[in-house]
Amino acid sequence: MRPVFDIRPAAGDAEHGLLLSLQPGPPRMSGLRLRSRDGSRVLPLHFHREGDTVRAELPVAPLLEDRPLRWDVQAELDGNGVFEPLIGTTGTTIPRHFFQQAIGEHGISAYLSDSVSSLALFTAPSQQHAYTVDAENTRAAFPMLLEELPLQEDLVLFESFLGKAYAGNPRYIHEALRRMRPDLRCVWAYNGDTPIPGNPARVRRGSAAYHRLLAQARYRVNNILFTAHGRKPDTRYLQTWHGTPLKRLGYDIDVAGPEVDARDNLYRESRAWTHLLSANSYSSAVLRRAFRYEGDVLEAGYPLTDPLATADGGRTDVLRRLDLPFDRRYVLYAPTWRDDRQVGHWQFDLDLRLDVARVAAALTPDQMLLVRAHHLVSGGLGDRPLPANVRDVSHVDDATDLCVIADVLVTDYSSIFFDFATSGRPILFYCYDLDQYAQRIRGFYLDMEQDLPGPIARSTDALIALLADLPAVQAAHAERYAAFRQRFCALNDGRAAARVVEAFFGPFPATNRFMTDLVALGIGGAADDDARLQRLIQRYLADSDAISTLLYERLQPTEQQRFLVWFLKRWAGIDRIDPAEMAFYNAEVERIRQAERPPVEIDGGHYVLQDMRPQGHDFRLATYAWALSIHDVLFDQYQDEGFRVQPGDVIIDAGGFIGDTAALFCAKTGGDCQVHAFELLDESIALFRYNNALNGISDRVVLNKLALSDHSQGSLVIKQARLQGATSVEPGDGPGERIPTITLDDYVARHGLQRVDLIKMDIEGSEIPALHGAVQTIRRFRPKLALCLYHKWDDVLTIPRFIAGLGIPYRFNFKWVQLPQGWEAVLLAQPCEDAGP
């Protein structure tokens, strides 16, 4: 019967020690000790018996160091001098760390090992201890998380090489997914420092947050395994693996070693796979058998070979990132790890039996040797001195980057040569331990002498000879190389990643033109653009059909493009503005800013007087120092070709500001118009009245301090925004003032207006309630509408939907003039009978 473990502070104070109880205690136990996992320390423990219970004292102070340590509790039986793990139970599996205690600036906890349920202690500085305990407790609760946490339909969790790399098939699937399915939210389990294109969210592998994401992700992509097994029924898990098998795998291995020890764990993981990626029919058969997998196999080629299937493959970019000369030819030496050279948990010593100095001396002046140790090799080449024409590139996460720049590959039993063969470049094999590897380490699926696409060298001298005569080597192996590529690389055609995305994730869900065109324009820009685009798509996808039919598809093609450029800029911060247009805009702003603007005092306030003739109109404006009026005057944001005020027009100017648009409308009609303006801020109203008098249009403009809304006789609280002269209805700005509301319908009736020809609204996001209060007026007079779209994120939906509900056929134009921030976007709606052919 296994003992039940219990740990508690000695005499209520953990700093003085802990008490360990074993019930029942092993009857033949003759010794008890703590042994650190790194083997550096052993602490004997005192114990005594009380009936069938064994109690032991655990010292605390000797266990605490400024580094994390794990300690195994080990027992000796019958005085035989052999200490074995103390195996038992705690009566519960959650939390995994069934005991934990803070001791000064450290933490100590107890748990049972995953392998044999043996008792272990974990000590670490407080912050690291808390992080690790939280992560391991969350992992133990993973089955519960699968039951309790909701599935996140748009979430994709990526991991590659145990979280150590942004590399392999997951990398290239992710990059294709960015282009093809930007509606999906990607998170990388990645513990490294390399920037990831698209700047997706990252999570530390094994952390508590990682396990919660693993439980909730609709899609998983990995090339080895995650830290916890199991999945929700609707989760889709793509296992990409990381190479066409030459060495025996999984249950095909006959020789004891770390792969055999790990295969049961991988088998449990494989029960959650829904799809297994394969590069060819050979791999499909081998992987099924070796992993005892009976699910779907996606035979689509390896995405990691996509760059190798093109002439350049990004060579220049890789050389620049690795700071390597552009004018050299590169020999890449990329050996695999040796199962019998283990130095730690999935860490192996580099068995470098290549005389690097002699190879370097034999290279031509334009050649360089790149040495890349396998990711499971600890330390790479270390501090070995290297010749000037040799570089250690073991730090490079992705071997594909190195294959892209390599002119020849030298390897042994690594699957890298299957991928490199996609390029058609020469491959040499340096197999100094071929017989030992075949018979005592792993064994092979292929005949090394007959099936490989290049010759085998068993010594440094033999390898140097092959490198010295590569053309002859290629000629001698050309027929075998061609057959090899046909058998193993036929699907590596540069489109493997796209095929995988299409098959596993499915097509982009939007079928409307707006979302399709938006994605096409938005994808593939700066590092942060993908994340921004994804957030934009998530916000608008559900309404994209309506936006497309109600607004986007009703614009002319050139205006559709401009609408998309504005939309990306305003709502995602993604810049697709034509640099020449931006340069022109900035030059015009600077030209107007340099014009003389003398000071003017109005009602005790200090402003500037701006002559509008440099902007093409013969009037002047007293205005705020920051305001240039270029958007509404110079760029004419509320007018467009075929959409203009006419002599005799009655105009509603909602959001009149300082009277700039009222003055412009009067100038455009030669003073033959009537403007009913609405402005709420007293300071702007004072400027408005001054400008009316200054330009002699006071008899043409009716100025109202009223808030247009969907109801009359109510009120609206407005505030001075942070920018002088601007109003806000948002919290956090200046002191508020309550302004009476009125519907436009009531206003028109009270003033006896017999026509309304243009309604212009720029009222800080209050356009929709104001429009609802103007329905009768619009239906009666069918005016042109100039409505701002940039205040609220859903204006592009709610404003066109309102217009559609009027039952009046309108033609749309889109006008956008304020480039830097994406403001001043206006929908120009004109009744079709007035719109011309």
Side-chain angles (χ1 to χ4, degrees):
M1 180 178 178
R2 289 187 172 186
V4 177
F5 301 130
D6 178 70
I7 296 179
R8 62 190 61 195
D13 185 356
E15 290 191 12
H16 293 92
L18 303 175
L19 292 179
L20 167 64
S21 297
L22 291 69
Q23 173 65 40
R28 297 160 45 213
M29 190 173 74
S30 54
L32 195 65
R33 72 180 189 181
L34 288 173
R35 183 179 185 274
S36 63
R37 285 274 173 90
D38 62 5
S40 63
R41 298 176 61 191
V42 174
L43 296 176
L45 300 178
H46 300 288
F47 68 93
H48 63 277
R49 297 182 183 274
E50 297 176 6
D52 63 351
T53 299
V54 170
R55 302 192 190 280
E57 298 175 6
L58 303 179
V60 170
L63 308 182
L64 306 180
E65 297 188 13
D66 290 333
R67 60 176 179 138
L69 277 176
R70 294 186 187 266
W71 303 80
D72 290 310
V73 183
Q74 299 178 328
E76 177 194 43
L77 301 180
D78 299 326
N80 60 9
V82 177
F83 282 84
E84 299 288 348
L86 186 61
I87 299 172
T89 181
T90 64
T92 180
T93 58
I94 300 175
R96 184 188 191 211
H97 289 254
F98 63 91
F99 169 84
Q100 57 179 306
Q101 184 78 41
I103 310 291
E105 296 181 356
H106 291 77
I108 185 170
S109 56
Y111 65 96
L112 300 183
S113 69
D114 289 330
S115 54
V116 294
S117 295
S118 60
L119 182 61
L121 302 180
F122 173 61
T123 61
S126 297
Q127 186 173 357
Q128 186 167 4
H129 183 267
Y131 175 89
T132 302
V133 167
D134 185 32
E136 294 184 2
N137 284 343
T138 305
R139 180 184 175 219
F142 189 71
M144 185 186 304
L145 298 181
L146 288 174
E147 292 289 333
E148 295 179 352
L149 294 178
L151 187 71
Q152 296 189 22
E153 291 285 350
D154 64 340
L155 178 60
V156 188
L157 182 62
F158 282 92
E159 182 177 306
S160 183
F161 296 115
L162 309 177
K164 294 187 292 185
Y166 174 66
N169 288 317
R171 167 186 172 176
Y172 296 94
I173 293 171
H174 171 248
E175 293 179 2
L177 192 66
R178 291 169 53 213
R179 300 188 302 271
M180 300 170 66
R181 289 293 306 273
D183 58 306
L184 296 178
R185 180 164 52 96
C186 299
V187 177
W188 268 84
Y190 179 57
N191 298 349
D193 299 321
T194 300
I196 297 179
N199 195 27
R202 298 185 187 185
V203 65
R204 188 167 184 80
R205 185 179 194 265
S207 67
Y210 166 92
H211 289 109
R212 286 190 286 271
L213 289 172
L214 181 62
Q216 293 185 274
R218 175 71 167 87
Y219 304 96
R220 301 177 185 173
V221 181
N222 205 332
N223 66 356
I224 301 182
L225 50 72
F226 294 103
T227 63
H229 304 313
R231 63 174 173 84
K232 290 178 178 291
D234 292 334
T235 295
R236 292 167 64 84
Y237 180 171
L238 175 63
Q239 171 56 245
T240 73
W241 204 236
H242 46 274
T244 297
L246 169 68
K247 309 181 291 288
R248 292 188 177 275
L249 297 172
Y251 290 96
D252 287 345
I253 301 175
D254 298 324
V255 181
E259 288 280 355
V260 171
D261 296 338
R263 66 187 178 191
D264 287 344
N265 188 43
L266 185 60
Y267 174 80
R268 291 194 298 274
E269 174 82 351
S270 70
R271 301 312 89 184
W273 300 349
T274 59
H275 296 76
L276 173 62
L277 181 63
S278 167
N280 43 61
S281 58
Y282 157 84
S283 295
S284 299
V286 171
L287 295 176
R288 275 190 179 280
R289 183 183 65 248
F291 296 141
R292 297 182 179 176
Y293 172 73
E294 298 179 356
D296 290 339
V297 172
L298 179 55
E299 196 172 293
Y302 266 180
L304 63 86
T305 67
D306 282 357
L308 299 173
T310 61
D312 177 74
R315 175 185 173 90
T316 300
D317 178 61
V318 174
L319 290 172
R320 182 180 295 110
R321 282 190 282 115
L322 300 183
D323 195 25
L324 292 171
F326 284 64
D327 58 349
R328 300 295 180 91
R329 293 182 299 135
Y330 292 97
V331 179
L332 173 62
Y333 177 47
T336 192
W337 54 286
R338 299 299 191 270
D339 303 51
D340 61 345
R341 304 275 297 190
Q342 191 164 6
V343 295
H345 183 65
W346 284 106
Q347 288 187 322
F348 300 84
D349 189 23
L350 177 62
D351 189 27
L352 185 66
R353 296 196 219 170
L354 178 70
D355 192 329
V356 172
R358 291 186 56 212
V359 173
L363 296 178
T364 61
D366 69 333
Q367 286 183 313
M368 288 189 71
L369 176 64
L370 307 177
V371 181
R372 202 255 186 180
H374 191 276
H375 76 95
L376 292 178
V377 169
S378 177
L381 293 180
D383 297 327
R384 291 179 174 90
L386 298 175
N389 60 346
V390 178
R391 297 283 179 86
D392 181 3
V393 290
S394 303
H395 65 283
V396 177
D397 274 352
D398 194 356
T400 297
D401 285 340
L402 300 174
C403 290
V404 163
I405 64 174
D407 297 283
V408 57
L409 171 68
V410 179
T411 187
D412 44 16
Y413 321 116
S414 169
S415 62
I416 192 174
F417 73 88
F418 288 96
D419 307 324
F420 188 80
T422 302
S423 71
R425 301 178 211 134
I427 303 172
L428 308 178
F429 294 86
Y430 179 56
C431 303
Y432 55 85
D433 58 348
L434 178 59
D435 297 335
Q436 178 186 3
Y437 200 96
Q439 298 170 17
R440 297 196 299 274
I441 296 180
R442 184 78 75 86
F444 306 110
Y445 290 113
L446 300 181
D447 186 323
M448 294 288 289
E449 301 290 348
Q450 299 297 321
D451 295 333
L452 299 187
I456 297 174
R458 297 198 181 206
S459 67
T460 296
D461 287 339
L463 179 61
I464 290 173
L466 292 173
L467 286 170
D469 198 11
L470 280 177
V473 169
Q474 286 182 277
H477 289 81
E479 185 174 342
R480 185 190 294 182
Y481 201 136
F484 182 90
R485 293 184 70 199
Q486 181 60 37
R487 181 182 181 188
F488 297 107
C489 305
L491 291 173
N492 297 340
D493 57 1
R495 289 201 71 257
R499 277 195 299 273
V500 171
V501 170
E502 290 168 356
F504 183 70
F505 296 96
F508 185 77
T511 57
N512 61 75
R513 284 180 51 199
F514 164 63
M515 190 56 69
T516 301
D517 293 350
L518 180 71
V519 169
L521 182 62
I523 201 68
D528 291 339
D529 283 0
D530 291 346
R532 293 170 178 166
L533 180 63
Q534 180 198 67
R535 291 192 293 270
L536 189 72
I537 291 170
Q538 289 172 342
R539 172 182 277 186
Y540 285 96
L541 185 59
D543 296 314
S544 62
D545 285 342
I547 296 171
S548 190
T549 56
L550 293 174
L551 173 58
Y552 181 72
E553 293 174 35
R554 298 176 62 182
L555 301 175
Q556 295 298 312
T558 55
E559 292 185 352
Q560 288 178 345
Q561 180 72 10
R562 190 160 188 80
F563 177 84
L564 295 175
V565 172
W566 162 75
F567 192 83
L568 289 168
K569 180 68 175 180
R570 176 67 180 98
W571 299 116
I574 297 174
D575 190 352
R576 296 292 183 269
I577 301 169
D578 182 347
E581 183 182 7
M582 180 62 84
F584 174 77
Y585 173 90
N586 288 332
E588 288 295 276
V589 170
E590 189 59 28
R591 177 176 70 85
I592 301 302
R593 183 176 284 120
Q594 294 302 320
E596 183 179 0
R597 296 195 296 166
V600 60
E601 183 176 337
I602 301 171
D603 292 348
H606 297 278
Y607 310 100
V608 294
L609 192 62
Q610 184 168 3
D611 186 346
M612 305 309 293
R613 284 177 296 182
Q615 299 193 39
H617 297 284
D618 189 14
F619 61 89
R620 294 180 297 166
L621 292 174
T623 186
Y624 300 103
W626 60 265
L628 300 176
S629 297
I630 63 168
H631 302 119
D632 51 349
V633 178
L634 178 64
F635 292 116
D636 205 10
Q637 72 185 79
Y638 303 111
Q639 303 277 283
D640 205 357
E641 190 67 34
F643 187 102
R644 300 201 177 278
V645 292
Q646 303 294 330
D649 277 356
V650 175
I651 302 164
I652 304 299
D653 184 3
F657 191 41
I658 60 168
D660 48 352
T661 48
L664 180 64
F665 292 146
C666 289
K668 284 177 173 290
T669 60
D672 185 12
C673 67
Q674 185 179 6
V675 180
H676 292 263
F678 296 81
E679 176 56 41
L680 307 182
L681 193 66
D682 286 338
E683 190 175 12
S684 292
I685 289 172
L687 286 167
F688 202 135
R689 288 176 176 150
Y690 182 91
N691 288 326
N692 286 345
L694 179 66
N695 295 298
I697 58 174
S698 296
D699 60 333
R700 295 296 176 190
V701 180
V702 178
L703 179 55
N704 302 279
K705 187 178 180 181
L706 293 170
L708 289 179
S709 186
D710 55 3
H711 62 283
S712 299
Q713 299 179 340
S715 62
L716 174 70
V717 176
I718 65 108
K719 299 179 180 182
Q720 167 69 59
R722 284 179 286 273
L723 181 65
Q724 183 190 25
T727 58
S728 172
V729 294
E730 301 297 328
D733 288 311
E737 179 183 2
R738 192 167 292 277
I739 306 294
T741 62
I742 190 170
T743 67
L744 185 59
D745 291 337
D746 285 347
Y747 180 88
V748 168
R750 291 178 189 179
H751 286 73
L753 300 185
Q754 296 303 305
R755 61 185 293 182
V756 172
D757 300 285
L758 170 65
I759 297 176
K760 166 248 170 179
M761 286 188 178
D762 185 354
I763 48 178
E764 309 306 322
S766 296
E767 284 80 6
I768 283 295
L771 286 169
H772 280 292
V775 170
Q776 295 177 24
T777 299
I778 297 173
R779 285 177 174 164
R780 178 184 175 190
F781 299 120
R782 299 194 173 205
K784 298 181 181 71
L785 306 173
L787 308 172
C788 284
L789 290 178
Y790 69 94
H791 292 115
K792 291 185 175 180
W793 72 270
D794 60 349
D795 283 344
V796 293
L797 174 65
T798 58
I799 290 177
R801 179 177 284 165
F802 167 83
I803 295 174
L806 292 170
I808 302 171
Y810 271 94
R811 187 192 77 177
F812 288 168
N813 293 98
F814 175 74
K815 191 78 178 280
W816 172 46
V817 297
Q818 202 276 357
L819 303 184
Q821 286 80 36
W823 301 338
E824 311 303 337
V826 182
L827 177 64
L828 304 176
Q830 185 165 201
C832 288
E833 59 264 31
D834 298 333

